[in-house]
């Protein structure tokens, strides 16, 4: 039976104390005793397939003898095997493989690793290293690199070693670059960043490189330079020290070297691989700040050398990789990112240097940013139809280039933006440039907040975009709109950046709101929400918890997930309801908003998450809010108009007027003091008149401040209904969006008999973007209007009637109120010396002369007469209530009021008619406490009903709803 058996034994070297293994330290070789196992001569293959049948046999002579002693059997026949006639054709094939994780079996590599004990053969071992098989070197990569750097540092007296070590390093690094050993890259990286310590080796390597290049002819120099170039893409990572070597290489190269080397590549893919690696390496090199920032000569020389190399490769790109069939997107993309990284490197930003140093750099090296920037521009336009492949990815890098504060560079590169707009419009298929627009907005926000950009950039960007867009057949409208939009964004972002670290948190809030409003309009939810939370943080820092809550409310519009919505609701609800115990009285205004939120929360608890315990807590809090609205006293805030005039103010304030929501009981003097503290150089204006152009254009700062009155805006379901005064009181200073300020001034010549006839009223109406309270404590003025004396008289009568109605309502609801305010109001109207101002109205407007001069005012005159007549039943109700609260001390005053009113009423009814009220509007309704609640009718309703009554020609009886 013929048996052919092949056995491979793998001996893994263990520690030296194991039996059968003896480590000879002197030669660092292993002495291993092997016992050849005997296979059954009958060729029992199945038995031999069972590893246990031979792995349990003794493997040393000593073990065999020990087993013989213990078993009493002789095992020597195993070692003295003599084949018989049946086994003459059997054979053994034994292969052994010995591996060590510590020592190499290659004599040449081992000699290099043990160079200290064999120093006379260092040169020989360094040369022989280049003959060692690559797989053996990479297994002992760290030991080999340590040996090379130690030889260079410790054997510095022999320059021969420096050249041999340089050759060895280039050989090893090139070896790692081979595709067969790419998986050893992590080993090299680990060595570079954790084990390399020969930090002065770069000095010797630089010298060696210069000597090599200086002594080589052009052909061999090219091969040497690019071999070193390829190797040094790894070597430079040794803490950046090999950038000097790279610079030395590139300084020696001329056009011939570049062209010759490119021509040595056999395939197009070889050129691609070379350029890819080179672009990536250069970009990494540029990112390494090898020299201190004040080493101007070294930094400039390095940049000049790198720039020349980059420019050489641009011609290769245009030559081999530009047409439709050979275009390489990633290669061009790497080029653009390399060029931008070079242009924006901090060592080239000449604005950061002193004037003397800047002049010296420009004289010797020029402004390299312009050179590479113009090249970027040319390369972009060379792309032709390939441009669309770089949109929107290249928008950010091109923006970085345009933001560099060099005028010529900006003028050359900003038009690339228009080219991108045009390219996307023509090739995207959507006939728009939305990708470009969105990317530019996103990157502008990042870059400007990061410190780039200035007012000059905003002006130039706007100018160039408008010029190009207006010349384009299809982009003239949309492009111009986009140019203004970007200009507006830049203005807001620059203001925000300028004021970001300002001590005035109010100014920071204003700029933040301007920015977030822009992103809201552009539907950029991601950026909008980011600025919302910046605003929220500013408010909480200032303890503006009301405004912080309103800010968070804006985020709810973008939430979809129920759990997130509920968390947000609870956060806002906490800000509202916490005012009951922990916040000052100025935040009690939030009860109404808390009720509104509680209703939405209750619906979620009851119908979506079925949390009845949470529902119970919300309902209990809501009940407390209702009770406090009716019982707690809530002071009303004052509102102030503030104008900032003069060029000395930042643009977001300059020559603008704002409405401010003051604190409760805050006087105008205190508010003024706070304003002037923020602007200590500002001059306070004493007049409330609009300033002239000389003040607006002045380089100084002028602050104007005066009180304005909010215009109540009742919810529709409250109007003309019996709403308690406590509920109405909230709406007198909250949920308001319009404010008025009246300033008297004379128009025309003074009338000595009736000054009122020539007295005009300028009423300024302010409309805000948000109602108060809102996301800020102030908003900008929107409108200014003036009214005639007759219109002012009508408005005065409407407001007086409303005032009488309000005070009557208060006394009807709460009998405990003091009567003194009612006494003062009634006396000021019915006193014969005043007579409600009717006499002035009669002299000014109710004359034939006025009607002849102002025939268009006929309806307004009739309306004023009806409002005078309407005041009589209001006064009657007020005097009735005054009589019910009569005391002995008040009896003389009441008697006088009654007598005066009787005379006034008689005169008015004779001249302007008698007004009676329909029962549906005068019916008194009892409240839960037993008091009588009457409809609250605003002055706007009185005007409407008065106009209706005039048109109907009913003089004696007018159906008007009033507060009785």
């Amino acid at each position: 039976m013929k048996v052919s058996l092949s056995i491979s034994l793998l001996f893994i070297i263990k520690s030296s104390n194991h039996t059968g293994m003896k480590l000879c330290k002197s030669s660092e070789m292993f002495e291993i005793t092997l016992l050849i196992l005997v296979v059954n001569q009958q060729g029992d293959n199945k038995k031999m397939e069972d590893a246990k049948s031979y792995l349990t046999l003794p493997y040393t002579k000593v073990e065999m003898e020990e087993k013989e002693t213990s078993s009493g059997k002789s095992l020597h026949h195993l070692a003295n095997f003599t084949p018989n006639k049946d086994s003459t054709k059997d054979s053994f094939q034994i292969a052994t493989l010995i591996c060590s994780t510590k020592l190499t079996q290659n004599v040449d590599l081992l000699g290099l690793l043990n160079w200290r004990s064999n120093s006379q053969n260092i040169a020989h071992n360094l040369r022989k290293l280049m003959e060692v098989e690559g797989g053996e070197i990479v297994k002992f990569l760290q030991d080999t690199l340590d040996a090379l750097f130690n030889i260079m540092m410790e054997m510095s007296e022999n320059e021969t070693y420096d050249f041999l070590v340089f050759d060895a390093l280039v050989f090893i690094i090139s070896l790692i670059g081979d595709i067969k050993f790419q998986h050893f890259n992590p080993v090299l990286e680990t060595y570079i960043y954790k084990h390399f310590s020969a930090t002065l080796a770069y000095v010797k390597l630089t010298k060696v490189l210069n000597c090599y290049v200086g002594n080589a002819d052009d052909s061999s120099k090219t091969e040497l330079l690019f071999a070193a170039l390829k190797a040094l893409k790894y070597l430079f990572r040794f803490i950046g020290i090999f950038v000097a070597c790279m610079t030395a290489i590139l300084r020696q190269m001329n056009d011939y070297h570049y062209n010759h080397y490119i021509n040595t590549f056999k395939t197009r893919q070889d050129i691609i691989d070379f350029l890819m690696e080179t672009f990536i390496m250069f970009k990494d090199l540029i990112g390494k700040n090898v020299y201190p920032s004040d080493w101007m000569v070294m930094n400039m020389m390095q940049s000049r050398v790198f720039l020349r190399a980059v420019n050489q490769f641009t011609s290769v790109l245009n030559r081999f990789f530009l047409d439709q069939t050979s275009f390489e997107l990633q290669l061009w993309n790497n080029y653009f990112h390399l060029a931008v990284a070079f242009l924006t490197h901090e060592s080239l930003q000449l604005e950061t240097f002193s004037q003397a140093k800047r002049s010296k750099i420009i004289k010797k090296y020029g402004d390299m940013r312009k050179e590479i920037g113009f090249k970027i521009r040319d390369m972009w336009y060379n792309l032709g139809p390939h441009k669309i492949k770089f949109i929107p990815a290249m928008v950010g890098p091109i923006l970085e280039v345009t933001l560099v504060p060099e005028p010529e560079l900006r003028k050359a590169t900003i038009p690339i933006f228009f080219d991108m707009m045009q390219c996307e419009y023509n090739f995207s298929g959507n006939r728009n440039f939305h990708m470009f627009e969105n990317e530019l907005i996103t990157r502008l926000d990042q870059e400007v907040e990061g410190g780039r950009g200035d007012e000059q950039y905003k002006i130039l960007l706007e100018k160039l975009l408008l010029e190009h867009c207006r010349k384009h057949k299809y982009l003239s409208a949309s492009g111009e709109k986009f140019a203004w939009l970007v200009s507006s964004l830049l203005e807001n972002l620059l203001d925000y950046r300028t004021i970001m670290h300002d001590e005035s948190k109010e100014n920071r809030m204003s700029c933040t709101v301007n920015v977030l409003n822009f992103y809201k309009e552009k539907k950029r939810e991601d950026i909008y929400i980011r600025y919302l939370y910046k605003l929220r943080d500013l408010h909480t820092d200032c303890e503006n918890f009301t405004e912080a809550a309103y800010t968070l409310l804006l985020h709810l519009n973008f939430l979809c997930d129920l759990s997130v919505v509920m968390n947000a609701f609870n956060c806002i609800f906490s800000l509202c309801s916490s005012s009951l115990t922990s916040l000052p009285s100025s935040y009690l205004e939030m009860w109404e908003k808390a009720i509104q939120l509680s209703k939405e929360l209750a619906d979620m608890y009851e119908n979506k998450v079925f949390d009845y315990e949470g529902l119970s807590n919300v309902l209990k809090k809501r009940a407390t809010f209702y009770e406090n609205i009716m019982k707690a006293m809530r002071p009303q805030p004052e509102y102030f108009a503030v104008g900032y005039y003069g060029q000395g103010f930042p643009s977001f304030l300059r020559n603008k007027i704002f409405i401010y929501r003051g604190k409760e009981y805050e006087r105008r003097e205190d508010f003024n003091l706070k304003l002037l503290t923020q602007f200590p150089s500002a001059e306070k204006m004493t007049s409330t008149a609009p300033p002239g152009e000389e003040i607006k254009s002045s380089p100084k700062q002028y602050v104007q401040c005066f009180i304005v009155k909010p215009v109540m805006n009742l919810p529709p379901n409250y109007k003309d209904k019996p709403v308690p005064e406590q509920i109405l009181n909230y709406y007198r200073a909250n949920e308001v969006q319009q404010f008025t300020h009246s300033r008297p001034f004379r128009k025309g010549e003074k009338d000595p008999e009736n000054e009122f006839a020539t007295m005009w009223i300028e009423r300024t109406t302010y409309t805000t973007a948000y109602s108060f309270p809102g996301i800020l404590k102030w908003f900008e003025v929107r409108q200014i209007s003036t009214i005639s004396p007759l219109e002012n008289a009508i408005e005065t009568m409407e407001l007086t009637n409303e005032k009488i109605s309000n005070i009557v309502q208060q006394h009807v609801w709460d009998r405990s109120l003091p009567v003194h305010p009612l006494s003062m109001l009634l006396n000021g109207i019915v006193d014969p010396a005043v007579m409600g101002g009717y006499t002035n109205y009669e002299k000014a407007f109710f004359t034939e002369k006025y009607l002849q001069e102002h025939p268009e005012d006929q309806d307004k005159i009739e309306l004023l007469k009806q409002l005078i007549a309407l005041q009589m039943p209001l006064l009657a109700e007020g005097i009735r209530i005054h009589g019910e609260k009569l005391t002995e001390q008040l009896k003389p005053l009441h008697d006088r009021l009654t007598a005066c009113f009787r005379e006034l009423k008689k005169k008015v009814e004779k001249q302007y008619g008698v007004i009676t009220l329909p029962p549906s509007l005068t019916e008194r309704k009892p409240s839960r406490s037993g008091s009588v609640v009457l409809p609250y009718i605003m002055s706007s309703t009185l005007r409407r009903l008065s106009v209706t009554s005039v048109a109907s020609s009913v003089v004696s009886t007018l159906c008007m709803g009033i507060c009785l």
Side-chain angles (χ1 to χ4, degrees):
M1 178 178 178
K2 181 179 179 180
V3 178
S4 179
L5 179 66
S6 177
I7 304 175
S8 296
L9 302 178
L10 171 62
F11 292 91
I12 301 177
I13 308 304
K14 302 180 181 179
S15 60
S16 60
N17 61 350
H18 283 172
T19 304
M21 298 184 181
K22 182 179 180 182
L23 179 62
C24 302
K25 295 184 178 180
S26 60
S27 62
E28 294 187 347
M29 294 295 291
F30 292 101
E31 177 186 300
I32 304 173
T33 303
L34 302 177
L35 175 64
I36 304 302
L37 303 180
V38 178
V39 180
N40 187 291
Q41 67 181 17
Q42 282 78 25
D44 190 353
N45 290 338
K46 290 186 178 180
K47 184 176 181 181
M48 292 311 298
E49 288 176 0
D50 183 8
K52 294 181 181 179
S53 63
Y54 55 83
L55 289 181
T56 57
L57 292 175
Y59 65 93
T60 67
K61 182 177 180 180
V62 175
E63 185 178 351
M64 184 171 63
E65 291 173 349
E66 289 176 351
K67 286 197 173 185
E68 285 180 341
T69 303
S70 60
S71 63
K73 297 180 181 180
S74 175
L75 300 177
H76 281 77
H77 66 279
L78 293 175
N80 298 295
F81 169 70
T82 303
N84 56 31
K85 63 179 182 178
D86 296 324
S87 62
T88 56
K89 295 182 179 180
D90 292 344
S91 66
F92 288 98
Q93 293 180 0
I94 300 176
T96 63
L97 174 64
I98 300 176
C99 293
S100 170
T101 58
K102 177 62 180 173
L103 294 174
T104 177
Q105 304 302 305
N106 185 282
V107 177
D108 294 326
L109 181 57
L110 188 64
L112 177 65
L113 298 179
N114 293 325
W115 66 274
R116 285 190 178 90
S117 60
N118 197 14
S119 59
Q120 67 274 12
N121 291 326
I122 290 178
H124 170 77
N125 289 329
L126 285 170
R127 293 187 183 95
K128 296 295 288 184
L129 177 67
M130 264 75 83
E131 299 177 10
V132 177
E133 196 272 325
E136 193 69 14
I137 291 177
V138 296
K139 285 189 294 184
F140 304 98
L141 183 61
Q142 179 176 333
D143 293 330
T144 305
L145 291 172
D146 278 342
L148 291 174
F149 285 118
N150 287 334
I151 290 171
M152 177 171 278
M153 300 306 295
E154 296 180 27
M155 308 295 290
S156 57
E157 70 281 354
N158 192 334
E159 291 186 357
T160 302
Y161 296 152
D162 294 342
F163 289 89
L164 293 173
V165 169
F166 180 85
D167 292 340
L169 285 172
V170 172
F171 170 74
I172 292 174
I173 301 300
S174 299
L175 189 69
I176 297 297
D178 192 284
I179 193 171
K180 293 189 299 183
F181 303 111
Q182 282 186 349
H183 55 287
F184 280 92
N185 273 324
V187 179
L188 180 60
E189 296 284 348
T190 301
Y191 179 81
I192 290 171
Y193 293 114
K194 293 187 177 181
H195 303 295
F196 176 73
S197 60
T199 54
L200 297 180
Y202 79 96
V203 177
K204 285 179 171 287
L205 291 172
T206 304
K207 292 179 181 179
V208 171
L209 184 61
N210 285 328
C211 291
Y212 261 130
V213 176
N215 297 328
D217 57 48
D218 281 341
S219 179
S220 58
K221 183 185 294 186
T222 302
E223 301 297 331
L224 174 65
L225 289 171
F226 277 94
L229 189 68
K230 186 175 182 180
L232 287 176
K233 72 177 183 179
Y234 291 95
L235 288 177
F236 85 89
R237 296 181 189 175
F238 293 102
I239 318 179
I241 60 173
F242 290 99
V243 176
C245 296
M246 178 65 66
T247 305
I249 290 174
L250 297 176
R251 286 187 68 192
Q252 300 295 327
M253 297 176 64
N254 55 36
D255 294 349
Y256 171 83
H257 299 130
Y258 286 102
N259 292 328
H260 178 79
Y261 188 70
I262 292 297
N263 291 333
T264 62
F265 291 112
K266 297 180 180 180
T267 67
R268 181 172 174 275
Q269 188 60 46
D270 291 336
I271 301 178
I272 293 174
D273 292 341
F274 166 72
L275 290 178
M276 283 283 197
E277 293 178 358
T278 303
F279 289 162
I280 293 172
M281 176 183 65
F282 273 34
K283 187 173 184 295
D284 287 341
L285 280 172
I286 290 169
K288 304 289 182 181
N289 292 319
V290 181
Y291 310 112
S293 58
D294 56 345
W295 287 23
M296 183 192 73
V297 175
M298 293 298 293
N299 280 315
M300 289 299 124
M301 182 186 69
Q302 175 188 309
S303 297
R304 171 50 64 185
V305 169
F306 280 13
L307 176 58
R308 187 173 182 281
V310 172
N311 286 337
Q312 287 288 334
F313 297 135
T314 60
S315 61
V316 180
L317 278 179
N318 288 325
R319 196 165 120 208
F320 293 102
F321 306 104
L322 186 56
D323 61 49
Q324 194 65 35
T325 58
S326 62
F327 186 76
E328 287 291 333
L329 177 63
Q330 191 56 51
L331 194 58
W332 278 83
N333 192 59
N334 286 357
Y335 163 76
F336 280 122
H337 281 85
L338 165 62
V340 172
F342 178 89
L343 188 148
T344 56
H345 193 266
E346 61 180 351
S347 66
L348 296 181
Q349 308 316 306
L350 303 184
E351 296 76 20
T352 62
F353 301 143
S354 66
Q355 183 61 48
K357 184 178 287 189
R358 193 183 317 163
S359 300
K360 187 175 181 181
I361 292 173
I362 292 177
K363 182 178 180 179
K364 186 171 184 179
Y365 302 100
D367 191 341
M368 287 179 271
R369 298 174 303 176
K370 290 198 293 184
E371 185 175 342
I372 191 69
F374 296 159
K375 185 68 69 174
I376 291 172
R377 175 200 58 189
D378 296 341
M379 294 292 279
W380 170 262
Y381 288 118
N382 286 346
L383 288 172
H386 299 298
K387 295 173 187 174
I388 191 64
K389 301 171 185 176
F390 294 88
I391 301 172
M394 276 302 297
V395 174
I398 296 298
L399 176 63
E400 290 185 59
V401 173
T402 65
L403 285 169
V404 171
E406 207 296 314
E408 292 184 43
L409 178 62
R410 286 178 170 178
K411 290 177 183 178
T413 53
I414 285 177
I416 294 177
F417 289 148
F418 172 75
D419 196 59
M420 288 179 166
M421 295 164 60
Q422 186 176 222
C423 179
E424 184 181 351
Y425 184 87
N426 292 330
F427 292 100
S428 66
N430 299 320
R431 309 301 283 177
N432 59 48
F433 46 87
H434 289 166
M435 287 193 305
F436 166 79
E437 178 179 337
N438 289 331
E439 185 68 10
L440 184 64
I441 288 173
T442 300
R443 296 302 296 267
L444 261 178
D445 184 89
Q446 297 170 0
E447 295 294 337
V448 176
E449 188 174 1
R452 297 183 177 182
D454 48 44
E455 182 68 18
Q456 290 72 31
Y457 179 79
K458 180 187 81 74
I459 295 172
L460 184 61
L461 178 66
E462 175 190 303
K463 176 177 179 291
L464 293 178
L465 284 181
L466 286 174
E467 286 179 357
H468 284 78
C469 290
R470 286 169 176 168
K471 296 175 184 178
H472 194 275
K473 182 176 180 181
Y474 302 108
L475 291 178
S476 57
S478 59
E480 183 173 344
K481 180 181 177 182
F482 174 72
W484 290 119
L485 178 143
V486 172
S487 180
S488 173
L489 172 62
L490 264 172
E491 181 175 350
N492 288 328
L493 290 175
L494 290 172
D495 285 340
Y496 175 80
R497 188 183 71 191
T498 301
I499 216 73
M500 192 163 43
H501 303 294
D502 195 285
E503 292 183 4
S504 170
K505 286 188 170 65
E506 288 81 2
N507 289 342
R508 291 160 63 183
M509 291 175 193
S510 292
C511 292
T512 305
V513 169
N514 289 340
V515 174
L516 68 86
N517 281 339
F518 175 89
Y519 290 123
K520 180 181 181 181
E521 181 182 346
K522 294 305 298 177
K523 296 181 173 57
R524 291 304 305 270
E525 176 185 336
D526 52 338
I527 312 179
Y528 173 75
I529 291 173
R530 182 159 61 88
Y531 280 94
L532 270 184
Y533 279 87
K534 289 184 178 183
L535 179 61
R536 187 278 312 266
D537 293 340
L538 285 171
H539 279 312
T540 52
D541 288 345
C542 297
E543 297 185 350
N544 296 342
F545 300 111
T546 297
E547 287 70 27
Y550 273 89
T551 301
L552 288 178
L553 276 173
L554 296 179
H555 190 193
L556 287 177
N557 300 328
F558 300 95
L559 298 178
C560 299
D561 183 81
L562 179 62
S563 61
V564 178
V565 172
M566 290 199 67
N567 286 337
F569 259 115
N570 276 304
C571 179
I572 302 168
F573 185 65
S574 298
L575 282 171
C576 299
S577 56
S578 62
S579 61
L580 290 172
T581 57
S582 60
L583 299 181
S585 62
S586 58
Y587 300 102
L588 298 182
E589 64 204 25
M590 295 298 288
W591 290 334
E592 282 76 4
K593 185 59 69 173
I595 288 173
Q596 178 185 336
L597 291 171
S598 72
K599 292 178 180 178
E600 298 185 56
L601 267 178
D603 178 68
M604 293 180 188
Y605 280 126
E606 183 174 10
N607 300 314
K608 295 180 181 178
V609 298
F610 310 104
D611 182 356
Y612 281 15
E613 185 176 354
L615 174 63
S616 173
N617 291 332
V618 168
L619 293 178
K620 289 175 183 176
K621 286 185 178 181
R622 192 196 303 175
T624 306
F625 297 153
Y626 281 124
E627 185 175 1
N628 277 272
I629 288 173
M630 300 306 295
K631 294 183 177 179
M633 288 294 296
R634 287 195 284 185
Q636 300 292 355
E638 290 279 11
Y639 286 93
F640 305 93
V642 179
Y644 299 95
Y645 299 107
Q647 300 299 311
F649 286 109
S651 60
F652 64 91
L653 296 176
R654 188 183 306 140
N655 294 329
K656 295 180 180 179
I657 308 175
F658 297 83
I659 300 296
Y660 280 75
R661 180 181 173 91
K663 298 179 181 179
E664 288 72 18
Y665 305 117
E666 186 172 23
R667 299 181 307 160
R668 188 179 68 172
E669 292 76 12
D670 297 331
F671 184 80
N672 264 325
L673 180 62
K674 183 171 64 175
L675 280 177
L676 294 175
T677 301
Q678 294 181 30
F679 302 99
S681 60
E683 181 180 330
K684 178 183 175 182
M685 297 176 62
T686 57
S687 171
T688 61
E693 195 58 38
E694 68 282 357
I695 289 182
K696 291 182 179 180
S697 59
S698 168
K700 298 181 180 180
Q701 295 179 341
Y702 298 91
V703 174
Q704 184 183 62
C705 179
F706 46 88
I707 295 175
V708 292
K709 297 298 181 183
V711 178
M712 185 166 66
N713 181 32
L714 275 177
N717 58 317
Y718 283 10
K719 292 180 179 178
D720 302 343
K721 291 183 180 178
V723 183
E725 181 64 22
Q726 289 88 334
I727 298 176
L728 295 175
N729 199 44
Y730 169 78
Y731 293 97
R732 299 191 193 283
N734 298 283
E735 311 298 335
V736 288
Q737 196 169 354
Q738 286 191 325
F739 305 83
T740 61
H741 172 73
S742 296
R743 183 184 67 87
F745 71 99
R746 190 167 302 283
K747 190 173 183 180
E749 294 183 4
K750 182 178 179 180
D751 186 347
E753 295 183 1
N754 186 6
E755 295 183 4
F756 185 80
T758 57
M759 184 61 69
W760 284 64
I761 297 294
E762 180 187 71
R763 183 181 64 195
T764 305
T765 301
Y766 308 96
T767 303
T768 57
Y770 300 97
S771 62
F772 285 93
I775 61 173
L776 283 178
K777 283 186 171 292
W778 57 91
F779 296 109
E780 189 177 348
V781 167
R782 294 294 176 85
Q783 184 180 357
I784 298 177
S785 61
T786 59
I787 60 174
S788 68
L790 177 58
E791 290 172 325
N792 181 57
I794 292 172
E795 183 180 276
T796 301
M797 286 302 302
E798 287 177 337
L799 293 176
T800 302
N801 289 348
E802 184 180 351
K803 191 172 184 180
I804 300 171
S805 173
N806 293 341
I807 199 167
V808 167
Q809 169 79 328
Q810 293 175 29
H811 282 275
V812 167
W813 176 260
D814 189 352
R815 296 292 180 178
S816 65
L817 289 177
V819 74
H820 181 68
L822 178 61
S823 301
M824 295 289 290
L825 177 62
L826 295 175
N827 188 60
I829 296 174
V830 303
D831 190 300
V834 179
M835 292 295 288
Y838 310 147
T839 304
N840 289 332
Y841 299 157
E842 291 170 352
K843 292 179 179 180
F845 312 117
F846 302 164
T847 65
E848 289 297 326
K849 180 182 178 182
Y850 185 88
L851 282 175
Q852 290 175 1
E853 295 176 352
H854 306 281
E856 73 280 1
D857 286 348
Q858 178 67 53
D859 291 341
K860 294 178 182 178
I861 290 174
E862 291 301 319
L863 174 59
L864 180 57
K865 291 178 179 180
Q866 301 309 316
L867 289 171
I868 293 173
L870 176 63
Q871 201 170 83
M872 296 306 101
L874 294 174
L875 290 172
E877 184 65 16
I879 290 175
R880 184 189 64 77
I881 292 176
H882 192 269
E884 292 178 355
K885 291 191 170 186
L886 193 61
T887 63
E888 281 298 321
Q889 291 82 359
L890 285 177
K891 192 173 185 308
L893 174 61
H894 182 73
D895 291 341
R896 182 173 178 276
L897 289 176
T898 302
C900 291
F901 174 66
R902 191 181 302 114
E903 292 297 320
L904 177 63
K905 183 172 180 289
K906 180 179 178 181
K907 176 184 176 182
V908 168
E909 289 181 346
K910 179 180 178 180
Q911 292 182 349
Y912 309 120
V914 178
I915 291 182
T916 58
L917 304 173
S920 61
L921 292 179
T922 58
E923 181 182 354
R924 303 185 181 192
K925 299 179 181 180
S927 69
R928 288 174 298 172
S929 62
S931 302
V932 176
V933 182
L934 301 177
Y936 174 82
I937 301 178
M938 298 175 62
S939 57
S940 58
T941 302
L942 299 177
R943 172 187 283 258
R944 175 175 52 81
L945 294 176
S946 297
V947 171
T948 302
S949 67
V950 170
S952 65
S953 300
V954 178
V955 178
S956 61
T957 303
L958 298 173
C959 296
M960 312 178 92
I962 58 173
C963 179
L964 288 177

